[in-house]
Every structure is written in structure tokens, then in C-alpha cells.
């Protein structure tokens, strides 16, 4: 599944994998974009899979004319060995009935690569929130049992709120309670499969609505940053609340290339 594009092939033992779920508002993917761009992570390979809709495009993190013509595809892996971080970016949707096989292949690669842990950035429809969720923070987390053992104390110190369980069949009073993530794409399937395989996985998500989801992505990476400290606030300006996330060059065309001047 994983095809390296550097020689020698990257050694990922002990690394933390950051990846998105293709979910409502594409918030997880935008958040991974910010991380890759800010940390100047470099591409080490890609996933050769028939589970995603094929796509190809220009380098989304281009900084010069020379590297702008580099091609990118639907599933690429970026690394930062100095921080023991690796990021998987997904850029297209799943082919029907292929999301589960993708999760299984992905988790097999995670095990064979000896990755230390996985953090999935996701989102869920805000209109499914109950009254309690509407009155509280829009961020939630989920930990698999094997992840709980290693990070539970740290998470508790952050005063984060765990994703609540709700009725598996809404509106049915005697329905069992389970974790529901409407609009979360593969998030729930990946979580449940990771639990059964005893893989340390954390899900970080935000309740959002479709629209301009850049603020949601910025909020999600700052939520993650509370835990991992990917970047730190500027010491010279401690009053500045916004962290210096680097916006990728591809975001200039997030809503299209604008109206052609010839129309006017």
C-alpha cells in the first residue's frame, strides 16, 4: 500500500502519525495542510490504493516556481524526522464500499511500520448536537483503550471533553447508547477497528457546519497544539493569541480562481 519516494525508505518506528478523516467541511484535511505547510514537512511516499477516487494536481505546498510543477495525488505521506512526526494527507473521497478495506489496510501499515500512535483530525455535523453539546466547547476527543493507558493523565490535565455516547437509533427510547459521529466519514470505523486491533489512536474533532471552514481548521490545529505543542507562541509577543500557522499556497484557490475580468 505504501510506496516510498525517497531512498532509503523512511524509518518510521516510534513516530506519531497525523491524518485526517474526509469529513464535513474537510476540516481535518485543511488542518493537516496547515501542519505540513507550517513544519515544512517533506514528502516521503504515497499510498497506492484503489479505495480512493483518483486525482492528480500541482504541488499544494509550492513556495517557488520551480517546485510548483511537482505533482501530488490522492494519498501522500510527509515526514519530519526531527520531531518524529509523519502526516498522511487524503485529498479525495472514498469509492463506494471501499472505506472499510482502506481502514484495514491503513491499520496494517501502521502496525508494520511500528508507529507509536495515531491522531485522527475530524469533524461532525453541528446540527446533530444536543443541548449540552451546544452549550459547551465544540471540540471533542476519543481515545482507544491502548491510547488511554499512555495519555489519559495528559488529556485530563487539559480539561478536554470526551465525545459523548448517544442513542444508536435516535428517537427510539430503548435504543442502546453508542458513539455517533454524523458527517465524520471513516472516523467511527477507524476508531472501532483500532480498538479491536489494540492500536493507540486518538480522535480529535470539531462540530462544524459547511461553508468557509478555514476558521474551523485553525481551531482544530490549535486544539491539537495544546497537547502536542507542534509550535509554540512567540516569546517576544506573549499577548498574541493567534499562533503562526503557515497558510499553504494552494489555499488561494480554495473557493475557485475568481471571476474572469472579461465578464466586466
Amino acid at each position: 500500500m505504501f510506496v516510498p519516494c525517497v531512498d532509503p525508505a523512511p524509518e518510521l518506528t516510534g513516530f506519531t502519525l497525523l491524518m485526517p478523516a474526509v469529513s464535513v467541511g474537510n476540516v481535518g484535511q485543511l488542518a493537516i495542510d496547515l501542519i505540513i505547510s507550517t513544519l515544512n514537512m517533506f514528502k516521503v511516499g504515497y499510498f497506492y490504493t484503489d479505495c480512493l477516487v483518483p486525482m492528480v494536481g500541482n504541488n499544494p505546498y509550492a513556495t517557488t516556481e520551480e517546485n510548483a510543477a511537482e505533482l501530488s495525488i490522492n494519498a501522500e505521506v510527509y515526514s519530519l524526522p526531527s520531531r518524529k512526526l509523519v502526516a498522511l494527507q487524503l485529498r479525495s473521497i472514498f469509492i463506494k464500499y471501499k472505506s472499510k478495506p482502506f481502514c484495514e489496510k491503513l491499520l496494517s501499515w501502521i502496525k508494520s511500520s511500528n508507529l507509536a500512535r495515531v491522531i485522527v483530525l475530524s469533524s461532525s455535523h453541528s446540527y446533530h448536537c444536543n443541548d449540552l453539546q451546544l452549550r459547551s466547547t465544540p471540540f471533542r476527543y476519543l481515545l482507544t483503550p491502548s491510547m488511554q493507558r499512555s495519555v489519559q493523565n495528559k488529556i485530563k490535565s487539559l480539561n478536554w471533553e470526551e465525545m459523548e455516547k448517544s442513542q444508536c437509533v435516535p428517537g427510539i427510547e430503548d435504543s442502546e447508547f453508542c458513539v455517533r459521529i454524523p458527517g465524520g466519514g471513516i472516523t467511527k470505523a477507524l476508531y472501532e477497528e483500532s480498538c479491536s486491533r489494540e492500536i493507540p489512536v486518538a480522535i480529535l474533532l470539531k462540530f462544524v457546519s459547511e461553508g468557509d471552514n478555514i476558521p474551523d481548521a485553525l481551531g482544530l490545529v490549535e486544539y491539537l497544539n495544546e497537547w502536542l505543542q507542534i509550535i509554540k507562541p512567540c516569546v517576544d509577543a506573549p499577548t498574541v493569541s493567534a499562533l503562526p500557522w503557515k497558510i499553504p499556497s494552494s489555499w488561494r484557490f480554495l473557493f475557485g480562481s475568481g471571476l474572469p475580468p472579461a465578464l466586466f
Side-chain angles (χ1 to χ4, degrees):
M1 185 175 183
F2 175 69
V3 181
C5 63
V6 293
D7 190 22
E11 173 55 55
L12 302 177
T13 299
F15 278 50
T16 295
L17 171 66
L18 306 174
M19 64 166 289
V22 183
S23 52
V24 55
N26 304 107
V27 175
Q29 294 157 287
L30 293 172
I32 292 294
D33 263 354
L34 285 168
I35 293 167
I36 293 171
S37 180
T38 301
L39 298 180
N40 293 316
M41 301 176 79
F42 62 93
K43 184 161 55 177
V44 295
Y46 59 91
F47 278 8
Y48 182 72
T49 175
D50 62 351
C51 298
L52 292 163
V53 173
M55 62 80 59
V56 66
N58 290 344
N59 181 6
Y61 313 114
T63 54
T64 64
E65 288 187 9
E66 287 72 23
N67 65 10
E70 294 177 8
L71 295 181
S72 64
I73 60 171
N74 53 11
E76 295 184 322
V77 179
Y78 296 79
S79 179
L80 186 65
S82 62
R83 302 284 297 275
K84 286 215 156 190
L85 288 175
V86 60
L88 165 63
Q89 179 61 298
L90 304 176
R91 298 194 178 96
S92 67
I93 61 174
F94 288 96
I95 292 172
K96 196 173 184 179
Y97 307 123
K98 291 284 190 177
S99 57
K100 186 174 182 182
F102 178 85
C103 290
E104 293 170 349
K105 292 175 184 177
L106 172 65
L107 293 176
S108 295
W109 173 72
I110 289 167
K111 278 219 164 187
S112 65
S113 300
N114 295 314
L115 291 164
R117 59 186 177 181
V118 182
I119 301 174
V120 181
L121 303 181
S122 183
S123 53
S124 183
H125 284 298
S126 58
Y127 65 79
H128 280 274
C129 291
N130 57 35
D131 290 345
L132 178 62
Q133 291 170 334
L134 289 171
R135 291 194 299 266
S136 64
T137 173
F139 299 99
R140 291 293 187 274
Y141 77 90
L142 271 173
L143 303 176
T144 61
S146 52
M147 180 68 99
Q148 283 180 344
R149 291 192 287 269
S150 59
V151 304
Q152 186 67 49
N153 291 336
K154 174 62 178 177
I155 297 297
K156 281 185 177 178
S157 71
L158 296 172
N159 294 317
W160 284 2
E161 294 196 29
E162 188 173 7
M163 185 67 176
E164 302 87 351
K165 290 185 177 182
S166 58
Q167 290 179 322
C168 297
V169 183
I172 305 299
E173 292 185 4
D174 58 351
S175 172
E176 294 183 359
F177 280 72
C178 63
V179 172
R180 295 180 64 250
I181 308 175
I186 65 168
T187 307
K188 184 180 177 181
L190 194 58
Y191 171 75
E192 291 177 343
E193 190 69 23
S194 299
C195 289
S196 64
R197 295 192 185 205
E198 298 187 349
I199 295 176
V201 172
I203 309 289
L204 306 188
L205 65 84
K206 186 176 190 288
F207 298 125
V208 304
S209 299
E210 289 275 10
D212 180 358
N213 295 104
I214 290 176
D216 296 312
L218 287 164
L220 190 58
V221 290
E222 294 204 6
Y223 183 61
L224 170 68
N225 200 62
E226 290 180 35
W227 173 16
L228 292 192
Q229 293 291 290
I230 295 172
I231 59 174
K232 296 181 180 179
C234 180
V235 178
D236 299 329
T239 58
V240 177
S241 59
L243 295 173
W245 299 102
K246 181 181 176 184
I247 303 298
S249 56
S250 55
W251 283 20
R252 289 177 297 166
F253 306 108
L254 205 58
F255 298 102
S257 55
L259 296 173
L263 286 176
F264 308 100

